[in-house]
């Protein structure tokens, strides 16, 4: 929690105003932020200075794991995070690759589960990674990336948190996640949860112990219409101790995650929080 608040304070004190062409809004921006999460001791990085909706963040990652490309499938899992980008982004609405209402295109999970090779056949990055880690193999390339510049025009949004590198030392699994851009008041809250969850769940289904997760952000920013709420409300609140995330131990394989797992298989305990803050979202 402290590292999150420290980053917010750093942006306010040291940030530079940058005009964002996609949203038409200005952002107070800093370059390079490094966060760390202790998965081994289950210190779940859930924001406590405002209410955080962790279930939606985990549902989104489950959708990526399943390779979903439609906002309706994400809603069925328990999150509406893709509703706006799939249905309100003017450029995407006029894109010939858009297949219709709720279509997201070839983004995130599609790239992770069905990256197209030059011959047109699909490559399942996640399957390779899980198979290797389950067999105690780390080829120094246990990587899943959603960043495919050749297909940016075929999706509603370029990936923000785009690459995840897993490292196996003995039976302890580590994760380094890379993010090109981060809306700190809104997005980072989700992204912290997702990095933590991704290491915890992959460690569980591959039979390894989770270690530390390292989260590198390149461009961290606060939009101009979020600044007052962050500076005058959230940063004045005293944080609570971190809660814990518990995962159903019956989840043992990638196939489990692809088929029967729901949000009821995850529980957060010890979560104390302040009142919600409704930050504006930039589409």
């Amino acid at each position: 929690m402290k590292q999150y608040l420290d980053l917010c304070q750093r942006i306010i004190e040291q940030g530079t105003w940058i005009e964002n062409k996609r949203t038409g809004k200005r952002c107070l921006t800093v370059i390079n932020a490094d966060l760390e999460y202790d998965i081994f001791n289950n210190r779940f990085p859930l924001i406590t200075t405002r209410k955080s909706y962790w279930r939606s963040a985990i549902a989104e990652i489950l959708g990526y794991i399943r390779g979903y490309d439609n906002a309706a499938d994400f809603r069925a899992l328990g999150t509406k995070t893709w509703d706006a980008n799939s249905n309100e982004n003017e450029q995407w609405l006029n894109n010939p690759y858009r297949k219709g209402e709720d279509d997201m295109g070839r983004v995130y999970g599609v790239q992770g589960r069905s990256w197209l090779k030059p011959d047109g056949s699909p490559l399942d990055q996640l399957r390779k990674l899980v198979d290797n880690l389950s067999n105690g193999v780390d080829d120094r390339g246990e990587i899943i990336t959603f960043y495919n510049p050749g297909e940016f025009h075929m999706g509603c949004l370029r990936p923000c948190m785009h690459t995840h590198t897993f490292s196996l030392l003995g039976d302890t699994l580590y994760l380094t996640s890379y993010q090109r851009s981060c809306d700190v008041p809104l997005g980072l809250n989700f992204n912290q949860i997702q990095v933590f969850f991704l290491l915890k769940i992959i460690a569980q289904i591959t039979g390894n112990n989770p270690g530390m997760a390292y989260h590198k952000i390149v461009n961290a920013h606060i939009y101009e219409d979020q600044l007052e709420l962050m500076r005058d409300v959230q940063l004045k609140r005293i944080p609570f101790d971190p809660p814990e995330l518990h995962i159903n131990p019956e989840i043992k394989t990638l196939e489990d995650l692809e088929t029967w797992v729901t949000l009821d298989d995850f529980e957060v305990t010890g979560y104390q929080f302040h009142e919600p803050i409704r930050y504006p979202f930039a589409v």
Side-chain angles (χ1 to χ4, degrees), residues 1-3 35-48 192-197 199-200 210-213 239-246 267-271:
M1 186 67 224
K2 183 179 184 300
Q3 59 186 342
L35 308 176
E36 298 182 1
Y37 315 126
D38 184 356
I39 289 79
F40 180 78
N41 289 305
N42 206 8
R43 295 179 62 82
F44 193 37
L46 195 56
I47 299 303
T48 63
Q192 289 185 120
I193 294 167
Q194 292 174 333
V195 172
F196 186 99
F197 172 75
L199 177 53
K200 192 173 179 69
M212 295 291 294
F240 297 104
D241 290 335
E244 294 186 347
L245 173 66
H246 304 281
E267 180 185 10
V268 170
T269 60
Y271 184 35

Side-chain angles (χ1 to χ4, degrees), residues 78-90:
T79 182
K80 298 180 178 180
T81 51
W82 283 96
D83 286 6
N85 281 311
S86 63
N87 295 310
E88 298 177 22
N89 183 322
E90 197 63 35

Side-chain angles (χ1 to χ4, degrees), residues 141-183:
E142 305 305 340
I143 299 170
I144 181 170
T145 184
F146 307 133
Y147 205 79
N148 187 348
E151 294 189 350
F152 284 165
H153 64 292
M154 300 172 69
C156 66
L157 184 71
R158 288 183 300 164
C160 295
M161 191 162 62
H162 57 81
T163 300
H164 304 277
T165 300
F166 289 86
S167 303
L168 189 61
L169 299 181
D171 61 358
T172 301
L173 188 63
Y174 298 84
L175 172 61
T176 306
S177 295
Y178 305 88
Q179 188 163 356
R180 66 171 180 85
S181 174
C182 185
D183 175 342

Side-chain angles (χ1 to χ4, degrees), residues 43-95:
R43 295 179 62 82
F44 193 37
L46 195 56
I47 299 303
T48 63
T49 47
R50 67 177 177 89
K51 185 177 182 180
S52 178
Y53 300 93
W54 62 270
R55 290 170 64 88
S56 184
I58 288 179
E60 188 175 60
I61 283 288
L62 278 178
Y64 296 166
I65 288 172
R66 294 178 179 180
Y68 286 165
D69 66 355
N70 192 283
D73 291 326
F74 282 89
R75 287 197 299 274
L77 274 177
T79 182
K80 298 180 178 180
T81 51
W82 283 96
D83 286 6
N85 281 311
S86 63
N87 295 310
E88 298 177 22
N89 183 322
E90 197 63 35
Q91 286 186 334
W92 178 238
L93 293 178
N94 296 316
N95 191 309

